Amino acid sequence: MQFTAVNVAKRVSRSTWIPFALARPWALNGTQSTSRAFATTTGARYSRLSDVRRRPYLCVPARSSTSVIQAPQEEKSGVSEQEGDKGALNSMAKPQPVYRKDYKPTPYLIDQVHLTFQLGEEHTTVLSDLHFKPNYQGDSPPEVVLNGRKDLKLQSVKVDGKDVPQEQYEVSEKLLMIRGLPKGPFNLQIETQIKPQDNTSLEGLYKSSGNFCTQCEAEGFRGITYFYDRPDVLAKYTTRIEAPKGPYPVLLSNGNLQASGELSDGRHFATWEDPFPKPCYLFALVAGDLAVSKDSFTTASGRRVDLHIYVQQQNIDRVAYAMQSLKAAMKWDEDVFGLEYDLDLFNIVAVDDFNMGAMENKSLNIFNSRLVLASPATATDDDFARIEGVVAHEYFHNWTGNRVTCRDWFQLTLKEGLTVFRDQEFSADMRSRGVKRVDDASALRRAQFPEDAGAFAHPIRPEEYTRMDNFYSLTVYEKGAEVVRLYQTLLGQAGFRKGMDLYFKRHDGTAVTCDDFRAAMADANDVDLSALGTWYQQAGTPAVKVSTSYNASARTYTVKASQSTPATPGQSHKDPVLIPLAVGLLGKSGQPLALHLQGSKANGSAGDSAVLRLEKASQEFVFTEVPEEPVPSLCRNFSAPIKLEVEGQTEDDLIFLVKHDTDPFARWDAAQRLGQALMIQLYAAAADTSKNGSSSLAERCSAAGGVKQSLVDAFRAVLQDKALDGAMAAALLTLPGPTELQAMIHHADPVTLHEVRKYVVKELAQQLRPDLEAAVKRNDLPASEEYSPDAAQAAKRVLKNKCLGFLAALGEPAVYSMLLQRFRDASNMTDEIAALAALTECPCKERETGLSEFYQKWKDENLVVLKWLALQAASNVSGNLAAVQELQQHPAFNIKNPNNCYSLFLPFVRSPVNFHAGDGSGYRFLADSILTVDKINSQVAARMASPFTQLKQFDSERQTIMKQQAQRVADTEGLSENVFEVVQKSLKD
Ligand code: BES
Ligand code: ZN
């Protein structure tokens, strides 16, 4: 064994750092549903906190220290290679990437964990008793190297009850190493002290609203005690919690309550036992003063499960919807996947301070309160839908994530991609399947596609990473879910179910890889799915080009498809991937044509669609017996996450598809393409001031043809179609947003682009006014009808509010007062905030009146105040930065609370006018804010920095000033590794 003494005082210059896996620009782009967000039609969107997903934990930056630390150099240590911490031990703060290929099991397994928490206001003591079993070859016991964190205070180390002598262990900021261990199994007892009340990173054990709570995924457990903090070490846990009874009457942990009782000095205890082996990232503890709502669910096999939702007392009347969603999710998983819950108790706890949305800790899910609490007066339809989806998602993890977990964090998409897929399917069954698919596809395009094309592009299963927290990305989650969907599209629902059954049969109780998942799918169906492997290795969005030709005499129709994936940072060579391309053919009158595909290249058919199996760089498919030249409907149901270009597709074809296509996605996509083409064309005219420099943007746009009558007619047909689901109608009426357009126009000026979009919206509003007004009337909820968050009622509201957004763009005083009236009269939050959102985009007095009345009405409701912040921050009224800066000083704004940051800074970034102000003031403000927040919570700050990863998309002037600000952030002394990583990557790209 070789040890190296190193001096940790000097930090290696950051510029020598190796570039890492990516941060999450998607967080800043938002993932609002196309149809449901009560977007104003000018492109500003109200930010829901639900836009903010996947919050990784805070990583504590390595700081100067003078202690001398010795590092194990042998690979056997079992922690350093996988965790990338060796670098932290030996050469100080130069984070080393971890490689997937280097995976090695730990030299010991821990199969039993007994934890005792003595919670206190001064400090908390954690006693950990771990049962170690050898997992090494040979006779000489290797050292144990456990992960820790700088804020752990080690009190004692014992092996089998005896103090370990000083010279037999080493402790550093990030590791504890013990050597001289006995042969065979032994118990290791570690006592540490921590200060949860000072933990502003919200990772590990911390306090929120006076209560203790935990967040351990991905690597937060090491902030509680020294441990093998990695997902392949599965142990059974018992947890004893001791705390003063007055302030902390409720004591919760994973599993079943074994015992509870009084202690001296007004303290009490509870002991919990979790019978299922789990990785430490699923550990949870809650201690506090909480109210509980109780219900129960009887499983298919007749077992009764108690369901408890814990919230702060004042919120106890807002948990019914989450409870109902939980029961629906439990039933759905039994019906669709045959999966039952496995314990007698399932707890959900809502906390106000949470980096992420929610966490699937075994039997003790912890949620950001905004994803639990809902009442018609305080939550929007979107909030309700999001709560339903997230409650289900975390519940579904009980099987996909907890019973079968990940071998290492490279496999994250194994649990997250699969569970997102499952929550998407659940929501589709609860609501409108077509609308859900459109929402998900639209979110992917708007947010994941840019990530896949930007400075942080990475495969759904990365090959290397340095900071795990920068790796909970839209790619791993949303593209990962699309890749899971590919299996279902190829195998059919029944085949997919067979694969899932085999996956659980083989792997229950173990930690596995994405390859194990693919093997189960393949073996259960006796097919070769190796071609899907490339999706796990390649970053970037495949581009597919399709051209078609009809041969009238042979009555054949040929579809020629070619694919290529653009190079991404560090990955220039790309192979073709297997793409199931769902295709339908429509005849002259819009009727679906029967499909006969030559050869056996189809992977099957669904109704009037065929699934073409595209796996080579270029392929041809021939349909026979085609009676007339059809209009093709391609990539139906968004059958693969690709960018599709259809050669020779005319505007008439698109209008035809908007009218006739029975596939909701393809129909919506046709409408999007119409909008895209128009705005790209008008942008060119608007940006070209060379010919008539003194003309206004509107003049230049109308000189270029303005908004075509054909588009107006297509929109009118949607508005007049009374049979159409309102949510689908709203989606069809939503023009492509700023991020999508920005990606399509090389180095576009974002402000001009915004003005063009605004011009189009106003033109449409002028020409469609009577239809918009009629649709508003038709979809107003009759006063006699009670509010319900169900899909049917919500669909009417989303269409109505979409129309109001268009009308607001008219800029008429009469409309402003109508909107203010609607705002005042609203009987639910959806309508109230929609009217206010429309006004917030208009510089009028009603805007100020509405915003101040709203604040007065809701100032005591945290979650509603978030909406108020977000609305103002996203506004495109010019000069709005000053207002946002004032909000930062407002008594309602609490910079320590992640939700507050997400509701102020992220929406601001989505305002083209103010974030991208030509004088650079928006970028400067963002940089200043990142630096402020970084001192409190670097995970939140890193998210705020992700717009910089997209800087290459903008015009060169803006690139220059964005880079200056990114550089200023990068150069700041004491910056966290999290933020540094994001800005560094952005500057390098
Ligand atoms: N396991 C995650 C939560 C998590 C991820 C916590 C990373 C800490 C670090 C959870 O299952 C999750 O994915 N939550 C999402 C919401 C979900 C509906 C996609 C979230 O928190 O945004
Ligand atoms: Zn998840």
Side-chain angles (χ1 to χ4, degrees):
M1 195 85 10
Q2 190 192 346
F3 293 94
T4 318
V6 289
N7 187 339
V8 289
K10 280 184 219 109
R11 182 165 180 174
V12 170
S13 146
R14 286 216 203 82
S15 56
T16 64
W17 285 10
I18 294 156
F20 331 118
L22 133 73
R24 303 154 310 281
W26 53 268
L28 296 140
N29 294 327
T31 54
Q32 305 92 332
S33 65
T34 312
S35 53
R36 292 185 192 171
F38 45 92
T40 65
T41 47
T42 56
R45 287 169 175 277
Y46 163 69
S47 155
R48 302 170 312 186
L49 202 76
S50 55
D51 294 348
V52 177
R53 307 172 85 179
R54 334 296 169 246
R55 302 304 114 184
Y57 77 104
L58 169 80
C59 104
V60 179
R63 294 264 156 65
S64 296
S65 146
T66 49
S67 59
V68 171
I69 302 194
Q70 298 186 319
Q73 294 296 296
E74 278 208 5
E75 291 187 335
K76 273 196 256 155
S77 69
V79 167
S80 39
E81 283 69 35
Q82 276 299 306
E83 308 299 313
D85 283 339
K86 200 144 85 178
L89 255 185
N90 58 25
S91 68
M92 183 46 216
K94 184 179 173 189
Q96 298 293 310
V98 194
Y99 297 92
R100 183 168 72 87
K101 63 177 167 47
D102 289 345
Y103 172 80
K104 280 194 189 63
T106 49
Y108 298 89
L109 298 177
I110 302 173
D111 58 359
Q112 276 286 346
V113 176
H114 300 283
L115 297 171
T116 301
F117 288 82
Q118 292 160 346
L119 300 173
E121 304 302 356
E122 280 301 307
H123 57 77
T124 287
T125 299
V126 183
L127 305 157
S128 160
D129 189 346
L130 311 173
H131 185 251
F132 276 73
K133 271 188 351 194
N135 192 38
Y136 54 86
Q137 305 288 313
D139 305 326
S140 54
E143 76 278 24
V144 163
V145 182
L146 302 179
N147 303 103
R149 201 166 74 182
K150 176 169 169 274
D151 50 342
L152 285 185
K153 254 202 196 160
L154 182 63
Q155 304 292 310
S156 70
V157 190
K158 292 180 180 153
V159 169
D160 291 330
K162 287 196 207 94
D163 279 322
V164 176
Q166 278 271 322
E167 62 278 10
Q168 263 176 250
Y169 70 92
E170 305 282 346
V171 61
S172 76
E173 278 188 359
K174 291 185 174 181
L175 297 175
L176 168 64
M177 183 180 45
I178 308 162
R179 40 185 192 271
L181 294 155
K183 287 185 185 171
F186 60 89
N187 285 304
L188 178 65
Q189 290 98 16
I190 302 171
E191 180 179 336
T192 49
Q193 237 184 44
I194 48 178
K195 292 198 164 226
Q197 66 276 20
D198 295 343
N199 179 1
T200 60
S201 73
L202 314 185
E203 204 204 12
L205 181 64
Y206 64 95
K207 290 196 84 174
S208 174
S209 314
N211 301 319
F212 288 94
C213 61
T214 53
Q215 171 56 40
C216 293
E217 188 179 3
E219 296 174 339
F221 193 75
R222 64 185 64 180
I224 295 174
T225 184
Y226 293 96
F227 201 75
Y228 280 139
D229 192 357
R230 41 187 282 172
D232 60 344
V233 175
L234 307 186
K236 289 188 183 172
Y237 284 65
T238 60
T239 306
R240 178 182 160 101
I241 311 168
E242 302 174 5
K245 190 168 185 177
Y248 310 106
V250 174
L251 305 176
L252 305 172
S253 190
N254 315 88
N256 304 313
L257 182 65
Q258 285 306 349
S260 62
E262 309 294 318
L263 298 168
S264 57
D265 300 336
R267 292 172 70 84
H268 70 150
F269 77 95
T271 305
W272 293 83
E273 182 176 343
D274 183 356
F276 290 95
K278 64 167 177 284
C280 64
Y281 82 84
L282 292 173
F283 169 80
L285 173 154
V286 170
D289 191 359
L290 297 162
V292 61
S293 169
K294 297 186 176 182
D295 204 331
S296 72
F297 178 83
T298 305
T299 67
S301 64
R303 259 184 332 98
R304 181 195 148 107
V305 181
D306 288 323
L307 310 176
H308 295 173
I309 301 184
Y310 290 88
V311 298
Q312 290 168 55
Q313 186 63 58
Q314 71 270 21
N315 295 325
I316 195 66
D317 56 347
R318 294 186 196 172
V319 298
Y321 193 76
M323 185 66 89
Q324 176 191 322
S325 304
L326 175 59
K327 289 190 283 183
M330 294 177 87
K331 178 78 169 64
W332 186 89
D333 220 10
E334 291 181 348
D335 292 348
V336 177
F337 286 106
L339 297 171
E340 275 190 25
Y341 186 62
D342 52 12
L343 282 162
D344 303 332
L345 174 62
F346 187 85
N347 289 315
I348 287 179
V349 178
V351 302
D352 289 337
D353 302 278
F354 201 71
N355 286 339
M356 298 277 294
M359 179 64 209
E360 71 266 25
N361 317 300
K362 183 79 187 188
S363 79
L364 180 51
N365 288 4
I366 298 183
F367 274 61
N368 189 318
S369 55
R370 55 170 274 275
L371 289 167
V372 174
L373 306 176
S375 71
T378 58
T380 63
D381 294 334
D382 275 351
D383 293 332
F384 279 98
R386 174 62 63 159
I387 288 169
E388 180 177 72
V390 179
V391 166
H393 176 99
E394 305 309 339
Y395 172 74
F396 294 156
H397 269 313
N398 190 53
W399 279 96
T400 50
N402 300 5
R403 289 287 290 257
V404 182
T405 195
C406 301
R407 187 192 73 172
D408 53 63
W409 288 121
F410 294 103
Q411 319 297 330
L412 181 63
T413 199
L414 173 76
K415 78 175 176 82
E416 293 302 347
L418 178 55
T419 305
V420 170
F421 169 77
R422 275 151 54 69
D423 85 52
Q424 289 177 348
E425 286 298 290
F426 167 73
S427 293
D429 284 344
M430 295 297 115
R431 291 159 181 268
S432 156
R433 179 163 282 275
V435 171
K436 176 66 179 157
R437 192 68 193 123
V438 167
D439 280 355
D440 292 338
S442 158
L444 195 82
R445 278 186 184 177
R446 192 171 47 239
Q448 194 275 330
F449 281 13
E451 181 173 280
D452 230 353
F456 277 114
H458 57 278
I460 62 168
R461 176 168 69 178
E463 297 299 327
E464 62 173 282
Y465 67 82
T466 301
R467 303 299 333 170
M468 188 51 216
D469 30 349
N470 282 331
F471 163 76
Y472 283 77
S473 64
L474 274 181
T475 298
V476 168
Y477 273 68
E478 315 297 325
K479 187 179 181 181
E482 293 302 324
V483 171
V484 171
R485 190 175 292 277
L486 298 179
Y487 291 90
Q488 185 176 270
T489 304
L490 293 166
L491 301 171
Q493 255 179 45
F496 186 79
R497 169 66 196 269
K498 276 203 249 167
M500 290 290 281
D501 289 350
L502 185 60
Y503 175 65
F504 294 120
K505 194 172 160 212
R506 282 183 179 169
H507 303 299
D508 186 14
T510 66
V512 302
T513 68
C514 300
D515 303 315
D516 295 317
F517 179 79
R518 192 165 62 257
M521 284 287 157
D523 295 349
N525 291 280
D526 203 16
V527 292
D528 180 2
L529 291 173
S530 52
L532 284 179
T534 313
W535 284 100
Y536 291 85
Q537 287 154 28
Q538 258 176 211
T541 307
V544 174
K545 254 189 207 164
V546 167
S547 62
T548 58
S549 60
Y550 181 62
N551 182 332
S553 55
R555 294 171 34 112
T556 57
Y557 187 68
T558 305
V559 175
K560 201 176 153 191
S562 59
Q563 61 162 302
S564 66
T565 302
T568 50
Q571 200 177 56
S572 50
H573 171 81
K574 306 282 179 177
D575 289 320
V577 291
L578 170 56
I579 297 171
L581 193 69
V583 176
L585 302 179
L586 304 187
K588 290 265 171 312
S589 53
Q591 83 283 14
L593 300 180
L595 302 177
H596 310 278
L597 192 64
Q598 216 170 57
S600 55
K601 284 177 193 156
N603 205 89
S605 60
D608 45 24
S609 302
V611 179
L612 308 182
R613 193 181 160 103
L614 176 58
E615 49 193 331
K616 300 194 193 113
S618 178
Q619 259 167 290
E620 255 181 37
F621 304 88
V622 180
F623 290 95
T624 58
E625 299 164 60
V626 184
E628 52 182 307
E629 171 149 24
V631 174
S633 164
L634 297 161
C635 202
R636 283 185 150 184
N637 199 38
F638 198 48
S639 62
I642 56 169
K643 288 183 187 168
L644 183 66
E645 188 190 321
V646 188
E647 273 171 26
Q649 192 173 42
T650 65
E651 192 186 294
D652 284 349
D653 291 340
L654 292 171
I655 287 172
F656 179 88
L657 290 171
V658 174
K659 252 197 212 141
H660 298 294
D661 205 325
T662 50
D663 181 77
F665 168 76
R667 184 181 185 188
W668 169 81
D669 184 45
Q672 290 290 293
R673 284 165 193 267
L674 282 173
Q676 277 160 19
L678 175 68
M679 284 188 281
I680 290 170
Q681 180 213 332
L682 293 183
Y683 175 82
D688 182 5
T689 47
S690 60
K691 286 183 205 117
N692 191 354
S694 61
S695 61
S696 70
L697 178 132
E699 283 164 347
R700 292 196 295 280
C701 286
S702 43
V707 177
K708 292 185 191 137
Q709 194 56 43
S710 50
L711 185 75
V712 176
D713 291 342
F715 271 46
R716 180 176 293 118
V718 170
L719 283 167
Q720 291 181 349
D721 183 348
K722 291 180 186 142
L724 189 60
D725 177 276
M728 190 60 206
L732 288 167
L733 297 172
T734 301
L735 294 163
T739 38
E740 278 162 285
L741 295 170
Q742 188 74 43
M744 288 175 178
I745 306 172
H746 187 66
H747 291 177
D749 163 358
V751 177
T752 304
L753 192 49
H754 169 77
E755 295 301 330
V756 168
R757 196 175 185 281
K758 219 169 123 176
Y759 164 85
V760 172
V761 169
K762 186 171 180 183
E763 284 291 304
L764 285 168
Q766 276 166 353
Q767 302 203 40
L768 294 167
R769 183 169 193 162
D771 302 285
L772 291 165
E773 287 170 344
V776 168
K777 252 205 181 135
R778 208 168 60 233
N779 288 287
D780 252 334
L781 190 68
S784 57
E785 212 179 308
E786 209 190 316
Y787 173 90
S788 155
D790 67 17
Q793 244 196 41
K796 287 173 151 270
R797 275 187 290 273
V798 73
L799 177 55
K800 172 186 69 181
N801 290 326
K802 170 67 65 182
C803 294
L804 288 172
F806 271 103
L807 292 170
L810 292 168
E812 281 185 14
V815 174
Y816 296 152
S817 52
M818 177 270 285
L819 287 171
L820 186 63
Q821 201 52 50
R822 282 187 168 271
F823 160 75
R824 287 174 172 160
D825 295 346
S827 66
N828 58 76
M829 183 51 75
T830 306
D831 288 341
E832 187 172 341
I833 201 98
L836 187 59
L839 281 174
T840 306
E841 279 304 295
C842 308
C844 60
K845 65 177 192 313
E846 288 82 356
R847 175 188 198 273
E848 307 317 315
T849 311
L851 285 169
S852 96
E853 288 182 12
F854 189 81
Y855 181 69
Q856 283 313 314
K857 180 172 170 190
W858 294 113
K859 60 177 186 297
D860 297 325
E861 293 288 348
N862 279 335
L863 297 178
V864 184
V865 170
L866 295 176
K867 299 178 192 296
W868 179 78
L869 290 171
L871 267 195
Q872 296 174 82
S875 175
N876 280 296
V877 299
S878 70
N880 191 50
L881 173 60
V884 176
Q885 281 167 325
E886 256 173 57
L887 284 174
Q888 221 185 331
Q889 307 306 322
H890 195 281
F893 182 74
N894 171 11
I895 200 165
K896 288 190 176 161
N897 173 267
N899 288 353
N900 274 250
C901 292
Y902 300 150
S903 295
L904 193 72
F905 303 117
L906 305 195
F908 173 73
V909 163
R910 287 203 295 273
S911 159
V913 172
N914 294 300
F915 179 56
H916 293 291
D919 62 0
S921 54
Y923 305 145
R924 205 174 320 120
F925 170 69
L926 182 69
D928 288 340
S929 307
I930 290 166
L931 292 172
T932 309
V933 173
D934 194 38
K935 298 197 180 82
I936 300 161
N937 185 327
S938 65
Q939 198 179 119
V940 173
R943 251 172 170 186
M944 289 165 56
S946 53
F948 290 124
T949 67
Q950 300 289 311
L951 64 82
K952 270 195 146 174
Q953 301 228 343
F954 303 102
D955 53 277
S956 59
E957 291 80 6
R958 285 189 172 80
Q959 285 193 32
T960 307
I961 46 179
M962 264 180 124
K963 274 186 194 154
Q964 281 165 3
Q965 294 305 320
Q967 192 68 57
R968 180 163 71 90
V969 172
D971 290 344
T972 301
E973 192 65 29
L975 191 70
S976 71
E977 291 175 4
N978 289 32
V979 172
F980 182 75
E981 177 180 347
V982 177
V983 289
Q984 159 85 340
K985 271 236 143 183
S986 310
L987 288 164
K988 270 199 175 166
D989 187 28

